[in-house]
């Protein structure tokens, strides 16, 4: 660590935090260098790495203004108290669907708060929440939570009204004197406003009809003179009315029952969800991300139920935004669901290399230190990601990983080589993940292929794979599948990009598959052997020798 570096650390601390205490100066003696000092001493490349992570929602989304504007044009209905059309959003992964939808929903919610129009947006990721029960339970609990918060706000407001009333009584001194005004008729505010009045009609009178009026109440009834009376701007005409309102809100709050994550009949979950949505007058936008995963896993019941809710709701209105990576998933929907959900469709096309470059440039301005990227880094990340069907997620991963690799090698500038290494690393991580999560049978088939390759066997065919696979199964007491099934598993590995299987014609001997590994052998083998069942196989050589046996 050089002198300048260590004094920087002393002044600001490693991550730029001010030092909280006046510690004695750190000893810069070499003997005091700890495990992390060296790592910290390199000038960090990143200004704010979080900005490159998938969890970060950017404030600006270049090349998505058409899609964002279209969503806004449809959803603005919610701010007018009308029901927006349902929207179906399509596009491949990494085309900015989730980021755009979240951006729009944030704007919608903040605008609705500014204009005091009740509108709630709930986001569900159906890859995680993938059954009708879980979707409904999660929505029910979210709305119950929102309802409780609103009730608490209302109670706070009413309690402060009560406090104002009390203060006024105290100022008036003699409470008997006040009681004399109780004979006056109920207060009918000329310009009363309710909390949820929309801006357009904020000044129009609100009917007080239906409010709790108890003539028996031994309480102050406000007469219509004083405009500065605490209740003048409220629909309540007496202290008792306010207290009764608080009481009834508390009862409502107690009546909400959270839905457990399993165990109830689905009808019951639906009905709790329905009541929670309908508790308040409002427009509710339900955003179902990765909706194709939900349909694939659990069919279209959830969508059917959600899309016909509006005909039963009395106070609220529901609008659905479905987001899908799979363009064809609507083929599996009931025609009614399909037409209701697809009232409006918005397509997110893949980004081209130039667009990806803009996106990366925007994000890198905040995430990297000035001068930390050499000129060719962003164009190369963009070019690689453009080949991956224009995936912005891949582009950002590449840029972040390249930065991390540069950081690790203690250089101050990210170079083209770091991007190439990052590309390899990401690809390898993907393979490792795919292999790690394969079912045991597929792992055994893959292991057989690896053993053959390791022993230099050229043009591996299905029969050879099957023979070794059989031995491996016997070794670990696994069921032995038929050769037909093993052929299918090989095709699946091919589709996952782990092996390459080409059909070759052998003239009058028919056709056969030639199989080769398309991923790095050593790393893949290591992942397979980290599976405890496969790890038990120690000496594999005899199986390979026996490959031509039957
Ligand atoms: P999808 O939902 O279509 O799979 P995401 O919205 O999750 O894609 O986007 C993937 C990543 O790329 C996220 O980190 C997102 O912030 C980023 N991203 C996508 N489009 C843009 C854009 N136009 N501008 C900035 N970042 C973007
Ligand atoms: Mg997404």
């Amino acid at each position: 660590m050089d002198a300048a570096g260590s004094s920087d650390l002393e002044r600001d601390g490693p991550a730029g935090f001010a030092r909280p205490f006046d510690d004695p100066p750190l000893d810069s003696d070499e003997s005091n260098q700890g495990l992390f000092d060296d790592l910290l001493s390199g000038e960090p490349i990143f200004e704010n790495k979080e900005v490159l992570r998938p969890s970060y929602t950017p404030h600006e989304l270049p090349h998505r203004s058409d899609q964002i504007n279209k969503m806004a044009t449809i959803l603005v209905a919610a701010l007018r108290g009308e029901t927006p059309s349902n929207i179906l959003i399509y596009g491949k992964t990494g085309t900015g669907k989730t980021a755009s939808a979240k951006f729009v929903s944030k704007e919608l919610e903040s605008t609705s708060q500014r204009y005091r129009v009740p509108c709630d947006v709930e986001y569900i990721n159906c890859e995680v929440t993938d059954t009708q029960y879980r979707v409904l339970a999660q929505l029910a609990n979210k709305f119950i939570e929102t309802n409780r918060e609103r009730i608490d706000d209302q109670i706070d407001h009413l309690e402060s009204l009560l406090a104002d009333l009390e203060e006024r009584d105290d100022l008036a001194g003699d409470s008997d004197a006040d009681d004399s005004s109780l004979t006056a008729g109920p207060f009918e505010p000329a310009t009363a406003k309710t909390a949820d009045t929309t801006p357009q009609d904020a000044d129009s009178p609100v009917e007080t009809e239906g409010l709790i009026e108890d003539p028996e109440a031994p309480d102050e009834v406000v007469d219509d003179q004083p405009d500065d009376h605490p209740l003048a701007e409220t629909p309540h005409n007496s202290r008792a009315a306010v207290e009764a309102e608080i009481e009834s809100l508390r009862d409502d709050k107690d009546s909400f029952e959270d839905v457990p994550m399993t165990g109830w009949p689905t009808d019951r979950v639906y009905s709790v969800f329905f009541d929670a949505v309908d508790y308040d007058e409002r427009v509710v936008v339900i955003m179902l991300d990765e909706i194709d995963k939900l349909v694939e896993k659990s069919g279209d019941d959830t969508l059917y139920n959600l899309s016909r809710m509006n005909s039963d709701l009395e106070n609220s209105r529901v609008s659905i935004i479905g987001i899908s990576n799979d363009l064809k998933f609507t083929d599996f929907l009931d025609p009614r669901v399909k037409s209701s959900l697809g009232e409006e469709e918005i397509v997110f096309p893949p980004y081209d290399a130039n667009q990806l470059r803009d996106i990366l440039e925007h994000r890198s301005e905040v995430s990297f230190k000035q001068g930390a990227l050499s000129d060719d880094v962003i164009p190369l990340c963009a070019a690689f990601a453009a080949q991956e069907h224009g995936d912005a997620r891949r582009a950002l991963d590449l840029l972040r990983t390249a930065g991390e690799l540069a950081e690790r090698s203690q250089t101050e500038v990210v170079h083209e080589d770091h991007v190439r290494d990052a590309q390899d690393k990401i690809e390898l991580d993907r393979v490792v993940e795919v292999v790690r999560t394969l079912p045991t049978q597929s792992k055994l088939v893959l292991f057989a292929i690896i053993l053959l390759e390791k022993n230099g066997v050229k043009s591996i065919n299905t029969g050879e794979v099957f023979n070794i696979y059989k031995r491996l199964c016997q070794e670990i007491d696994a069921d032995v599948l038929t050769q037909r099934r093993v052929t299918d598993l090989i095709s699946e590995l091919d589709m996952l990009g782990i092996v390459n299987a080409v059909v070759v014609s052998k003239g009058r001997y028919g056709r056969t598959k030639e199989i080769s590994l398309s991923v790095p052998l050593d790393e893949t083998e290591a992942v397979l052997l980290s599976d405890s069942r496969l790890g038990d196989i120690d000496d594999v050589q005899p199986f390979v020798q026996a490959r031509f046996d039957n």
Side-chain angles (χ1 to χ4, degrees), residues 92-99 123 125 289-290 323 325 393:
K92 295 209 166 138
T93 54
T95 51
K97 301 181 299 296
T98 303
Y123 172 90
N125 183 340
D289 202 352
E290 317 263 344
I323 304 177
N325 292 324
R393 183 178 296 109

Side-chain angles (χ1 to χ4, degrees), residues 414-526:
V414 187
H415 292 290
E416 194 185 312
D417 283 350
H418 295 123
V419 178
R420 295 188 189 282
D421 291 348
Q423 171 83 346
D424 292 345
K425 179 175 185 304
I426 289 173
E427 188 50 31
L428 187 60
D429 288 350
R430 185 192 76 86
V431 170
V432 165
E433 192 48 28
V434 172
V435 172
R436 201 179 56 76
T437 51
L438 286 174
T440 306
Q441 289 289 349
S442 302
K443 282 184 177 167
L444 288 167
V445 172
L446 180 58
F447 196 31
I449 297 169
I450 285 182
L451 290 177
L452 287 163
E453 282 225 344
K454 268 178 80 171
N455 283 273
V457 179
K458 300 270 176 267
S459 46
I460 302 169
N461 65 42
T462 315
E464 290 172 318
V465 175
F466 183 66
N467 285 341
I468 294 188
Y469 156 83
K470 256 192 320 200
R471 302 292 176 106
L472 293 170
C473 288
Q474 286 154 5
E475 187 72 5
I476 67 162
D477 277 341
D479 293 341
V480 180
L481 302 178
T482 61
Q483 181 156 345
R484 174 95 215 94
R485 274 294 292 142
V486 169
T487 306
D488 291 345
L489 292 182
I490 293 172
S491 303
E492 277 174 35
L493 293 173
D494 187 10
M495 273 189 301
L496 290 169
I498 299 174
V499 304
N500 186 22
V502 280
V503 178
V504 287
S505 169
K506 293 268 171 177
R508 63 194 181 92
Y509 300 105
R511 297 182 316 158
T512 178
K513 262 189 185 159
E514 276 186 18
I515 302 151
S516 59
L517 204 60
S518 34
V519 291
L521 191 146
D522 293 337
E523 284 87 348
T524 312
E525 185 181 21

Side-chain angles (χ1 to χ4, degrees), residues 53-54 56 58 60-62 64 92-99 325 351 359 363 392-393 396:
R53 294 201 186 276
Y56 177 83
E60 260 181 296
L61 293 156
R64 280 305 173 240
K92 295 209 166 138
T93 54
T95 51
K97 301 181 299 296
T98 303
N325 292 324
Y351 296 115
I359 291 172
R363 299 278 280 261
R393 183 178 296 109
L396 288 160

